[in-house]
Amino acid sequence: MNQILKGQSDRTQAQIIYTSQELTSDLASMVNRWLVNQGTPELKWRSDARNFIERTPGVNEIWWIDSDLTVQWSESLKPLHHIDIKSIISQPGIQTKLASAQRDNLPEYSPVINTDDGYNIIFILMPIVFDAQFDGYFAIEIYIDEFLARILNDPVNTGFYTKAYAGQEVVYADGPQLQQNSYLEFFELNLDADIDGWTFKIYPTDTVLTTILSPLPYVVLTGGILIVFMLLMTLLSRHKAKNQSHQLSLEIKEREKVQQKLSYLANHDSLTNLPNRHYITQYIEQYIANSDKAKIPFTLLFIDLDHFKDVNDTLGHAMGDQLLKKLPELFSRIFRNHDIIARMGGDEFIIFLPDKIREENVIALAERFMKQLKYPVEIEGHQIRLTGSIGIAMYPRDGTTVNELLSNADAALYRAKDKGRNTYAIYDSVIEHKAQARLKLVNQLHEAQEQQRFEMFYQPRYDAQGHMVGAEALMRWRQAENDYQEPKAFIELLEDTGLIVSVSWQLLSESCQHFKTLLSSHKNIVLSFNVSARLLEHPEFLSRLKNILDEHQFPYDRLELELTEQTLIQDVENSQYILNQLTNWGINVAIDDFGTGYSSLSYLKNFPVHALKIDKSFIHDMNEDQDDLELVKTMIVMGKNLNITTVAEGVETYGQLQKLVAMGCDEFQGFLFSQPIPFGTLQSHLQQLSDIDFAALDIVDGSN
Ligand code: C2E
Ligand code: CA
Ligand code: CA
């Protein structure tokens, strides 16, 4: 029996130590989360505390008591439950414990308190300390009954009763009055260094007694010796247990401290001491998970300092670092205590604003921040002024995962920078999707250029006798074999990105090569090549052009460059200079899309121009719109007066052709004769017949 009781006693002791150890470690983790987070926002704190209460039997309520011993918040699962925590912590005995908890950075335990409704409770006082930082305490209220009952299980199942004493007072008993029972085993545990130990007494239940002990007289006889022996054991074990338990608590704390330090380092940026990318992403992830279906809103500001690189480049990295170090203070002037400021790396920061904030208030905050940034920061005698760009995204509106939100805030930031920096942009899915599509297209264009997927098609041009006088090179983007994309989908972007310059040179070279072979049999045809503004304004325009022509030994007078009025008037002086040079070389210049520009016709006199290409929109509407017809007529007459060839673009019907011929237009181009075609097709076309019998077109074109 003695052996059996001893076994049960050891098991019970181990279980209690283990559970207490778990509790301490769980609490230390909570403190850890708090510290890493630099003052957890109330909402997050509550959810953390609630989780703790839920998973810890016997815990009903947790309070945060700040460093001034003011009770700030509490969280309880039982709404009606009331404990006068203020009067408890004002007791001198508890005050001493709070002080030593802070000093030793170890949890302290209150003596047992009897509540009005007859429960025994104790408080764990957990200090929130890390290095020099002290944020007060967590006070955790534990119901002894509930706490021990979960550990010890039902006596009917275990076969043993347990009775716990704090000092002389019975604080827990799960069996009948057992004072008379001579079979018992007990151990002592103390919770901290200076509290009197708790005694746990273990008794067998009647069932165990009757089944195990039949030779009762033997026990009565030896009872006296047993009790003396047990007393001795108790004295020894009491001392041992007291030290053991305290030692354990110390070890756990020490281990937690190291972990705290490690996790602090993993979660913080060493330069600014702000939470880092790792931390903030995890935090947001957790926040979203905790708010779960409730989708408690929050806002993210993605901040990027403008031209921070210049600070590093001109004043050195050390200075840049010092500037970054000053930022947390600057941030804290604008953002609230429970907002989280994290450094994403470099000069990028994330501000997490919990709760729902109206858009106009977010904007006001962003504007205040930008204003604050502009005040000069002094570092080693240098006055540095900063500006920043901000991208804003809101949960759940602009994304439901941390990645989505960060990437959308980043997209908005990108747009803010695009707007000229020192401003903010709020994520807008329509705008950002367009921007994304554009970005994707830009990448594809780069790729297409590298893989030489831009090719030239050619559209022939005819004079009034039906002789082919040349062809216009029109760019196509080869997607797959026999699948070509027309320029309207991408030409603007090619120009915006400046890619048009390299693509143009590559294609000019290709067209020269093509035309070189045609010229051997058709000496008089002209290659028309479109020149965009970006190309014309390029400082090396003339020299590159000359190089390519010379490389292919291409006769200058067989090339015509098409430029729009818009292109020419962008830099009139430069245009004039270049056009003069081109004319000197014998290269022809045509004004493209003529009539659509806003330039006055007087400009024409300033530019040496060889041909006018009347825009296809006038040709298209000529038959229905009398005004357009008049305009076309005027353009043709003007061309005649200035001795400039007039070319009608976009001729689609025989009726149009007839009218144009009648008005005296010199040359024609359009689907009526041919679509733009690949070089091979143009070549065979030329070999068979280069001229067109206009009269024969009448049959094809039924409209007139
Ligand atoms: P553009 O210079 O005015 O070229 C004439 C456009 O009209 C071509 O469109 C041609 O296919 C189309 N077209 C020809 N005949 C007809 C017709 O009868 N009816 C109609 N509705 N359209 C006709 P494309 O090839 O799509 O080129 C569009 C524009 O892209 C060109 O207008 C030009 O501004 C630009 N582009 C094309 N290739 C190049 C290039 O190599 N360099 C530069 N800078 N721009 C180019
Ligand atoms: Ca053209
Ligand atoms: Ca045109």
Side-chain angles (χ1 to χ4, degrees):
M1 185 67 208
N2 200 20
Q3 285 296 319
I4 292 167
L5 271 174
K6 182 82 182 83
Q8 174 65 13
S9 167
D10 286 349
R11 262 194 306 282
T12 308
Q13 184 171 4
Q15 264 163 344
I16 292 173
I17 290 179
Y18 177 76
T19 312
S20 311
Q21 180 182 343
E22 247 189 354
L23 182 72
T24 321
S25 141
D26 202 356
L27 268 175
S29 307
M30 201 157 98
V31 169
N32 189 20
R33 282 192 293 278
W34 173 284
L35 288 167
V36 162
N37 197 19
Q38 298 295 310
T40 303
E42 182 171 345
L43 184 89
K44 161 85 178 148
W45 184 88
R46 282 187 181 282
S47 96
D48 205 9
R50 233 180 357 256
N51 286 341
F52 180 82
I53 297 173
E54 270 168 4
R55 66 176 174 260
T56 320
V59 174
N60 266 335
E61 189 159 2
I62 300 184
W63 293 263
W64 173 41
I65 298 159
D66 71 12
S67 51
D68 302 327
L69 297 187
T70 311
V71 177
Q72 291 284 1
W73 297 322
S74 82
E75 187 63 38
S76 167
L77 294 186
K78 295 193 178 143
L80 292 177
H81 170 76
H82 180 74
I83 287 284
D84 189 0
I85 189 79
K86 280 187 194 144
S87 86
I88 288 172
I89 59 170
S90 65
Q91 290 168 17
I94 299 289
Q95 299 249 333
T96 333
K97 291 213 168 272
L98 288 169
S100 59
Q102 184 196 346
R103 188 193 57 228
D104 302 339
N105 190 11
L106 278 173
E108 288 278 354
Y109 296 77
S110 77
V112 175
I113 294 167
N114 310 111
T115 66
D116 298 339
D117 41 4
Y119 291 101
N120 294 319
I121 58 176
I122 56 163
F123 287 89
I124 303 181
L125 305 164
M126 186 74 183
I128 311 172
V129 184
F130 181 60
D131 284 354
Q133 192 183 341
F134 172 57
D135 279 353
Y137 309 85
F138 292 134
I140 296 96
E141 167 217 57
I142 297 183
Y143 277 61
I144 295 167
D145 257 332
E146 214 179 315
F147 183 66
L148 287 180
R150 292 268 196 104
I151 301 174
L152 301 174
N153 292 326
D154 193 337
V156 178
N157 297 329
T158 61
F160 298 92
Y161 299 119
T162 311
K163 207 165 177 177
Y165 299 77
Q168 296 306 310
E169 192 188 350
V170 177
V171 290
Y172 179 84
D174 59 6
Q177 289 293 321
L178 293 159
Q179 258 81 341
Q180 306 311 316
N181 196 326
S182 49
Y183 299 97
L184 70 103
E185 173 65 61
F186 64 95
F187 62 90
E188 285 236 347
L189 271 184
N190 69 323
L191 299 166
D192 58 22
D194 45 42
I195 214 169
D196 267 346
W198 285 33
T199 313
F200 290 86
K201 294 188 179 170
I202 317 290
Y203 303 88
T205 60
D206 291 342
T207 332
V208 171
L209 266 181
T210 45
T211 46
I212 298 178
L213 294 177
S214 32
L216 200 69
Y218 170 76
V219 178
V220 173
L221 197 84
T222 53
I225 308 161
L226 194 81
I227 285 165
V228 173
F229 175 73
M230 262 180 2
L231 266 172
L232 253 171
M233 284 297 292
T234 303
L235 280 173
L236 277 173
S237 78
R238 181 188 163 113
H239 184 69
K240 209 171 112 204
K242 189 166 176 157
N243 285 333
Q244 246 176 15
S245 163
H246 186 60
Q247 193 56 37
L248 242 160
S249 185
L250 268 174
E251 269 169 25
I252 292 166
K253 253 330 241 189
E254 210 41 55
R255 210 169 51 228
E256 289 296 338
K257 253 201 292 208
V258 174
Q259 263 167 12
Q260 232 175 59
K261 187 120 201 163
L262 283 176
S263 107
Y264 185 89
L265 290 176
N267 285 306
H268 284 76
D269 160 50
S270 56
L271 183 67
T272 59
N273 275 326
L274 291 171
N276 58 16
R277 173 193 290 271
H278 171 78
Y279 176 75
I280 193 72
T281 47
Q282 295 231 315
Y283 179 82
I284 296 171
E285 217 164 69
Q286 193 59 44
Y287 187 98
I288 292 173
N290 284 348
S291 91
D292 198 22
K293 289 183 188 67
K295 300 238 184 303
I296 301 164
F298 62 85
T299 305
L300 290 184
L301 305 189
F302 205 142
I303 298 180
D304 187 302
L305 301 178
D306 300 331
H307 309 297
F308 185 74
K309 200 177 156 291
D310 294 352
V311 175
N312 275 334
D313 289 350
T314 53
L315 300 173
H317 280 266
M319 206 75 124
D321 281 358
Q322 282 200 45
L323 187 59
L324 288 173
K325 269 190 189 170
K326 295 222 168 187
L327 289 174
E329 186 204 322
L330 206 143
F331 282 123
S332 67
R333 282 186 218 152
I334 303 297
F335 299 106
R336 302 159 302 173
N337 246 344
H338 55 279
D339 299 336
I340 299 175
I341 301 150
R343 182 174 174 212
M344 295 300 270
D347 56 346
E348 286 182 352
F349 298 86
I350 283 282
I351 317 284
F352 172 93
L353 310 169
D355 307 324
K356 182 160 184 61
I357 313 178
R358 289 225 303 272
E359 199 165 290
E360 63 251 44
N361 293 335
V362 176
I363 291 170
L365 205 63
E367 280 171 345
R368 261 179 56 213
F369 174 74
M370 291 189 297
K371 204 168 146 199
Q372 180 71 48
L373 258 189
K374 276 187 209 154
Y375 291 114
V377 181
E378 206 200 287
I379 291 167
E380 290 177 14
H382 294 272
Q383 300 281 333
I384 303 172
R385 275 169 208 274
L386 284 171
T387 60
S389 305
I390 306 177
I392 302 167
M394 294 177 184
Y395 173 83
R397 189 190 73 184
D398 303 332
T400 49
T401 65
V402 63
N403 283 341
E404 203 180 344
L405 285 160
L406 284 176
S407 113
N408 288 345
D410 191 35
L413 170 66
Y414 188 84
R415 185 153 51 84
K417 286 196 219 165
D418 211 42
K419 281 199 276 184
R421 298 167 199 268
N422 188 25
T423 189
Y424 63 86
I426 298 177
Y427 178 77
D428 180 316
S429 59
V430 177
I431 299 177
E432 255 69 60
H433 275 128
K434 267 193 204 157
Q436 249 170 23
R438 195 186 137 98
L439 203 68
K440 194 173 151 203
L441 188 57
V442 169
N443 288 335
Q444 288 173 337
L445 289 176
H446 276 280
E447 213 177 86
Q449 202 233 335
E450 279 159 23
Q451 300 172 353
Q452 309 220 329
R453 286 175 171 272
F454 294 109
E455 289 177 11
M456 278 305 195
F457 273 34
Y458 299 91
Q459 188 177 38
R461 182 162 127 192
Y462 297 89
D463 65 13
Q465 284 73 50
H467 301 307
M468 187 183 134
V469 291
E472 179 180 0
L474 292 159
M475 157 187 336
R476 294 292 179 266
W477 177 1
R478 182 168 42 83
Q479 309 280 332
E481 204 181 348
N482 292 325
D483 178 12
Y484 289 92
Q485 186 146 27
E486 290 181 6
K488 67 168 177 292
F490 61 87
I491 194 94
E492 212 181 295
L493 207 52
L494 270 189
E495 306 214 359
D496 287 355
T497 55
L499 259 177
I500 187 76
V501 175
S502 51
V503 171
S504 290
W505 292 135
Q506 182 212 319
L507 288 179
L508 177 68
S509 180
E510 183 188 309
S511 326
C512 283
Q513 202 179 346
H514 283 158
F515 255 65
K516 202 60 212 292
T517 54
L518 300 184
L519 282 171
S520 57
S521 53
H522 295 76
K523 285 187 187 55
N524 292 325
I525 57 168
V526 171
L527 163 66
S528 293
F529 189 85
N530 291 285
V531 173
S532 78
R534 289 298 288 267
L535 194 63
L536 190 73
E537 74 190 13
H538 200 274
E540 284 163 20
F541 174 72
L542 284 172
S543 57
R544 276 303 288 277
L545 175 69
K546 193 170 181 303
N547 279 347
I548 291 170
L549 295 179
D550 292 349
E551 214 175 282
H552 295 278
Q553 296 182 310
F554 194 88
Y556 290 5
D557 63 348
R558 294 300 95 200
L559 177 68
E560 177 185 69
L561 296 182
E562 297 191 3
L563 299 118
T564 65
E565 292 165 272
Q566 226 64 35
T567 299
L568 287 171
I569 61 164
Q570 263 173 34
D571 183 348
V572 175
E573 259 178 54
N574 186 45
S575 301
Q576 247 165 1
Y577 171 78
I578 289 176
L579 261 57
N580 282 331
Q581 185 60 265
L582 292 175
T583 311
N584 286 343
W585 286 343
I587 294 171
N588 295 328
V589 173
I591 300 207
D592 205 356
D593 302 345
F594 189 69
T596 58
Y598 302 98
S599 61
S600 83
L601 292 174
S602 65
Y603 265 115
L604 273 181
K605 281 186 266 169
N606 299 328
F607 296 118
V609 170
H610 169 260
L612 291 182
K613 296 191 82 174
I614 301 168
D615 190 70
K616 53 182 173 294
S617 61
F618 300 105
I619 311 296
H620 186 264
D621 298 340
M622 212 171 55
N623 284 353
E624 291 82 43
D625 191 326
Q626 191 61 28
D627 287 349
D628 275 352
L629 185 69
E630 287 304 320
L631 271 170
V632 172
K633 207 180 272 173
T634 310
M635 287 188 252
I636 293 170
V637 169
M638 198 182 61
K640 287 242 171 311
N641 290 340
L642 293 168
N643 202 20
I644 296 175
T645 306
T646 45
V647 185
E649 280 189 331
V651 181
E652 293 181 358
T653 68
Y654 188 64
Q656 289 166 347
L657 177 65
Q658 269 184 323
K659 275 208 178 88
L660 288 163
V661 172
M663 287 187 284
C665 186
D666 300 312
E667 295 176 2
F668 316 92
Q669 193 182 330
F671 295 167
L672 177 66
F673 317 103
S674 169
Q675 298 262 348
I677 44 178
F679 176 68
T681 317
L682 178 75
Q683 207 173 15
S684 48
H685 176 82
L686 264 177
Q687 274 160 8
Q688 288 152 24
L689 83 170
S690 55
D691 299 341
I692 282 183
D693 182 359
F694 282 179
L697 289 171
D698 199 5
I699 306 152
V700 182
D701 175 37
S703 63
N704 278 283

PDB file of all heavy atoms in Angstrom, residues 648-665:
ATOM      1  N   ALA A 648      -3.131  59.733-100.909  1.00  0.00           N
ATOM      2  CA  ALA A 648      -4.339  59.416-100.148  1.00  0.00           C
ATOM      3  C   ALA A 648      -4.144  58.087 -99.429  1.00  0.00           C
ATOM      4  O   ALA A 648      -3.813  57.084-100.051  1.00  0.00           O
ATOM      5  CB  ALA A 648      -5.543  59.355-101.080  1.00  0.00           C
ATOM      6  N   GLU A 649      -4.311  58.116 -98.135  1.00  0.00           N
ATOM      7  CA  GLU A 649      -4.168  56.892 -97.314  1.00  0.00           C
ATOM      8  C   GLU A 649      -5.531  56.254 -97.123  1.00  0.00           C
ATOM      9  O   GLU A 649      -6.540  56.957 -97.079  1.00  0.00           O
ATOM     10  CB  GLU A 649      -3.733  57.257 -95.887  1.00  0.00           C
ATOM     11  CG  GLU A 649      -2.304  57.544 -95.646  1.00  0.00           C
ATOM     12  CD  GLU A 649      -2.060  57.662 -94.135  1.00  0.00           C
ATOM     13  OE1 GLU A 649      -2.988  58.057 -93.393  1.00  0.00           O
ATOM     14  OE2 GLU A 649      -0.966  57.343 -93.721  1.00  0.00           O
ATOM     15  N   GLY A 650      -5.572  54.976 -96.933  1.00  0.00           N
ATOM     16  CA  GLY A 650      -6.817  54.304 -96.533  1.00  0.00           C
ATOM     17  C   GLY A 650      -7.885  54.313 -97.615  1.00  0.00           C
ATOM     18  O   GLY A 650      -9.073  54.450 -97.318  1.00  0.00           O
ATOM     19  N   VAL A 651      -7.445  54.167 -98.867  1.00  0.00           N
ATOM     20  CA  VAL A 651      -8.421  54.104 -99.957  1.00  0.00           C
ATOM     21  C   VAL A 651      -9.017  52.697 -99.964  1.00  0.00           C
ATOM     22  O   VAL A 651      -8.291  51.712-100.135  1.00  0.00           O
ATOM     23  CB  VAL A 651      -7.757  54.422-101.320  1.00  0.00           C
ATOM     24  CG1 VAL A 651      -8.800  54.384-102.433  1.00  0.00           C
ATOM     25  CG2 VAL A 651      -7.054  55.763-101.267  1.00  0.00           C
ATOM     26  N   GLU A 652     -10.341  52.638 -99.754  1.00  0.00           N
ATOM     27  CA  GLU A 652     -10.962  51.309 -99.627  1.00  0.00           C
ATOM     28  C   GLU A 652     -11.932  51.000-100.760  1.00  0.00           C
ATOM     29  O   GLU A 652     -12.250  49.839-101.004  1.00  0.00           O
ATOM     30  CB  GLU A 652     -11.683  51.208 -98.278  1.00  0.00           C
ATOM     31  CG  GLU A 652     -10.715  51.219 -97.097  1.00  0.00           C
ATOM     32  CD  GLU A 652     -11.416  51.106 -95.744  1.00  0.00           C
ATOM     33  OE1 GLU A 652     -12.660  51.057 -95.726  1.00  0.00           O
ATOM     34  OE2 GLU A 652     -10.706  51.076 -94.736  1.00  0.00           O
ATOM     35  N   THR A 653     -12.443  52.064-101.379  1.00  0.00           N
ATOM     36  CA  THR A 653     -13.448  51.787-102.414  1.00  0.00           C
ATOM     37  C   THR A 653     -13.052  52.430-103.741  1.00  0.00           C
ATOM     38  O   THR A 653     -12.278  53.394-103.787  1.00  0.00           O
ATOM     39  CB  THR A 653     -14.827  52.342-102.006  1.00  0.00           C
ATOM     40  OG1 THR A 653     -14.761  53.768-101.998  1.00  0.00           O
ATOM     41  CG2 THR A 653     -15.265  51.827-100.655  1.00  0.00           C
ATOM     42  N   TYR A 654     -13.626  51.870-104.785  1.00  0.00           N
ATOM     43  CA  TYR A 654     -13.356  52.394-106.116  1.00  0.00           C
ATOM     44  C   TYR A 654     -13.919  53.810-106.238  1.00  0.00           C
ATOM     45  O   TYR A 654     -13.334  54.667-106.882  1.00  0.00           O
ATOM     46  CB  TYR A 654     -13.980  51.463-107.164  1.00  0.00           C
ATOM     47  CG  TYR A 654     -13.576  51.845-108.555  1.00  0.00           C
ATOM     48  CD1 TYR A 654     -12.236  51.766-108.945  1.00  0.00           C
ATOM     49  CD2 TYR A 654     -14.510  52.308-109.472  1.00  0.00           C
ATOM     50  CE1 TYR A 654     -11.847  52.126-110.224  1.00  0.00           C
ATOM     51  CE2 TYR A 654     -14.130  52.675-110.755  1.00  0.00           C
ATOM     52  CZ  TYR A 654     -12.794  52.585-111.130  1.00  0.00           C
ATOM     53  OH  TYR A 654     -12.422  52.961-112.391  1.00  0.00           O
ATOM     54  N   GLY A 655     -15.049  54.040-105.563  1.00  0.00           N
ATOM     55  CA  GLY A 655     -15.661  55.370-105.570  1.00  0.00           C
ATOM     56  C   GLY A 655     -14.704  56.418-105.022  1.00  0.00           C
ATOM     57  O   GLY A 655     -14.540  57.493-105.592  1.00  0.00           O
ATOM     58  N   GLN A 656     -14.086  56.092-103.939  1.00  0.00           N
ATOM     59  CA  GLN A 656     -13.115  57.014-103.341  1.00  0.00           C
ATOM     60  C   GLN A 656     -11.979  57.278-104.328  1.00  0.00           C
ATOM     61  O   GLN A 656     -11.576  58.417-104.539  1.00  0.00           O
ATOM     62  CB  GLN A 656     -12.543  56.410-102.044  1.00  0.00           C
ATOM     63  CG  GLN A 656     -13.537  56.365-100.905  1.00  0.00           C
ATOM     64  CD  GLN A 656     -13.053  55.449 -99.763  1.00  0.00           C
ATOM     65  OE1 GLN A 656     -12.103  54.681 -99.929  1.00  0.00           O
ATOM     66  NE2 GLN A 656     -13.742  55.524 -98.636  1.00  0.00           N
ATOM     67  N   LEU A 657     -11.494  56.202-104.895  1.00  0.00           N
ATOM     68  CA  LEU A 657     -10.373  56.317-105.825  1.00  0.00           C
ATOM     69  C   LEU A 657     -10.735  57.244-106.983  1.00  0.00           C
ATOM     70  O   LEU A 657      -9.974  58.150-107.330  1.00  0.00           O
ATOM     71  CB  LEU A 657      -9.979  54.938-106.353  1.00  0.00           C
ATOM     72  CG  LEU A 657      -8.861  54.928-107.407  1.00  0.00           C
ATOM     73  CD1 LEU A 657      -7.538  55.412-106.825  1.00  0.00           C
ATOM     74  CD2 LEU A 657      -8.677  53.536-108.013  1.00  0.00           C
ATOM     75  N   GLN A 658     -11.945  57.002-107.568  1.00  0.00           N
ATOM     76  CA  GLN A 658     -12.394  57.808-108.704  1.00  0.00           C
ATOM     77  C   GLN A 658     -12.394  59.292-108.364  1.00  0.00           C
ATOM     78  O   GLN A 658     -11.877  60.123-109.102  1.00  0.00           O
ATOM     79  CB  GLN A 658     -13.809  57.385-109.089  1.00  0.00           C
ATOM     80  CG  GLN A 658     -13.826  56.285-110.124  1.00  0.00           C
ATOM     81  CD  GLN A 658     -15.241  55.961-110.548  1.00  0.00           C
ATOM     82  OE1 GLN A 658     -16.159  55.977-109.727  1.00  0.00           O
ATOM     83  NE2 GLN A 658     -15.417  55.674-111.817  1.00  0.00           N
ATOM     84  N   LYS A 659     -12.984  59.609-107.194  1.00  0.00           N
ATOM     85  CA  LYS A 659     -13.065  61.019-106.786  1.00  0.00           C
ATOM     86  C   LYS A 659     -11.668  61.603-106.613  1.00  0.00           C
ATOM     87  O   LYS A 659     -11.409  62.724-107.052  1.00  0.00           O
ATOM     88  CB  LYS A 659     -13.829  61.123-105.459  1.00  0.00           C
ATOM     89  CG  LYS A 659     -15.337  61.181-105.645  1.00  0.00           C
ATOM     90  CD  LYS A 659     -15.990  61.941-104.486  1.00  0.00           C
ATOM     91  CE  LYS A 659     -17.487  62.038-104.694  1.00  0.00           C
ATOM     92  NZ  LYS A 659     -18.226  60.878-104.138  1.00  0.00           N
ATOM     93  N   LEU A 660     -10.795  60.838-105.953  1.00  0.00           N
ATOM     94  CA  LEU A 660      -9.436  61.325-105.680  1.00  0.00           C
ATOM     95  C   LEU A 660      -8.675  61.581-106.981  1.00  0.00           C
ATOM     96  O   LEU A 660      -7.993  62.603-107.120  1.00  0.00           O
ATOM     97  CB  LEU A 660      -8.679  60.310-104.805  1.00  0.00           C
ATOM     98  CG  LEU A 660      -9.146  60.243-103.352  1.00  0.00           C
ATOM     99  CD1 LEU A 660      -8.655  58.961-102.682  1.00  0.00           C
ATOM    100  CD2 LEU A 660      -8.652  61.469-102.579  1.00  0.00           C
ATOM    101  N   VAL A 661      -8.828  60.653-107.935  1.00  0.00           N
ATOM    102  CA  VAL A 661      -8.160  60.822-109.231  1.00  0.00           C
ATOM    103  C   VAL A 661      -8.700  62.080-109.901  1.00  0.00           C
ATOM    104  O   VAL A 661      -7.942  62.911-110.411  1.00  0.00           O
ATOM    105  CB  VAL A 661      -8.356  59.574-110.132  1.00  0.00           C
ATOM    106  CG1 VAL A 661      -7.830  59.842-111.546  1.00  0.00           C
ATOM    107  CG2 VAL A 661      -7.642  58.370-109.531  1.00  0.00           C
ATOM    108  N   ALA A 662     -10.015  62.237-109.818  1.00  0.00           N
ATOM    109  CA  ALA A 662     -10.654  63.392-110.454  1.00  0.00           C
ATOM    110  C   ALA A 662     -10.162  64.700-109.842  1.00  0.00           C
ATOM    111  O   ALA A 662      -9.996  65.703-110.530  1.00  0.00           O
ATOM    112  CB  ALA A 662     -12.173  63.283-110.304  1.00  0.00           C
ATOM    113  N   MET A 663      -9.922  64.691-108.517  1.00  0.00           N
ATOM    114  CA  MET A 663      -9.462  65.909-107.846  1.00  0.00           C
ATOM    115  C   MET A 663      -7.981  66.172-108.080  1.00  0.00           C
ATOM    116  O   MET A 663      -7.458  67.190-107.667  1.00  0.00           O
ATOM    117  CB  MET A 663      -9.747  65.821-106.349  1.00  0.00           C
ATOM    118  CG  MET A 663     -11.232  65.981-106.028  1.00  0.00           C
ATOM    119  SD  MET A 663     -11.540  66.083-104.244  1.00  0.00           S
ATOM    120  CE  MET A 663     -11.359  64.407-103.740  1.00  0.00           C
ATOM    121  N   GLY A 664      -7.304  65.220-108.652  1.00  0.00           N
ATOM    122  CA  GLY A 664      -5.892  65.430-108.986  1.00  0.00           C
ATOM    123  C   GLY A 664      -4.918  64.898-107.950  1.00  0.00           C
ATOM    124  O   GLY A 664      -3.752  65.298-107.915  1.00  0.00           O
ATOM    125  N   CYS A 665      -5.386  64.000-107.056  1.00  0.00           N
ATOM    126  CA  CYS A 665      -4.483  63.397-106.064  1.00  0.00           C
ATOM    127  C   CYS A 665      -3.442  62.549-106.804  1.00  0.00           C
ATOM    128  O   CYS A 665      -3.744  61.901-107.790  1.00  0.00           O
ATOM    129  CB  CYS A 665      -5.295  62.538-105.101  1.00  0.00           C
ATOM    130  SG  CYS A 665      -4.309  61.906-103.753  1.00  0.00           S
TER     131      CYS A 665
END
